[in-house]
Amino acid sequence: MKGRKPNPPRLQVVGGNAGKRAVREDGLRLPSQYAPPPDHLDSYGIEAWEKLVPELVKLQMFTVLDHHAVEQYCQTYARWRRAEDALKEKGSDTYETHGKQGTMRRALPEVAIVAEAIRLMRSVGSEFGFSPVARLRLGDVGQGDMFNAFQNLDSKKG
């Protein structure tokens, strides 16, 4: 699909429906209820799940169809945190190689892992309103409420 992502019907109504087009029905409404984290998530992933899912349930944004997307987010979050921990432990994000052209500084593999994990978290997280811009698109999700949980999570590990 090219172009802008379509807004949910409730946002079309709230936004004033400037194009005067017919507002489509929301369609399938599934109940939003808590589910325990999947067994395969590590401690970082489980903590992310435990912080995110209750908030998403309160906002009626977590249904049986959303489990895999949130699971992907939590798994990627865990991968990002492990890579950041490894970089912190090594004390540097580069290493030296020696060859015919002399000494070269190269980025550690964890640097690429961090960059890719952040990209993936932004991609999946935008569907659930995990950034200020995504929350504006979703409309009725409060600013800042979702990330208070992660600030607490990060302070425990630090």
Side-chain angles (χ1 to χ4, degrees), residues 78-96:
R79 184 174 298 124
W80 169 64
R81 290 296 307 269
R82 288 191 310 270
E84 289 287 358
D85 289 348
L87 286 172
K88 188 185 298 184
E89 187 177 298
K90 292 177 182 179
S92 174
D93 57 358
T94 61
Y95 66 99
E96 288 185 357

Side-chain angles (χ1 to χ4, degrees), residues 123-148:
S123 176
V124 174
S126 70
E127 301 299 321
F128 290 98
F130 293 173
S131 74
V133 172
R135 283 191 296 280
L136 286 174
R137 185 175 59 82
L138 292 175
D140 56 358
V141 179
Q143 288 282 77
D145 296 339
M146 299 289 289
F147 283 97
N148 289 340

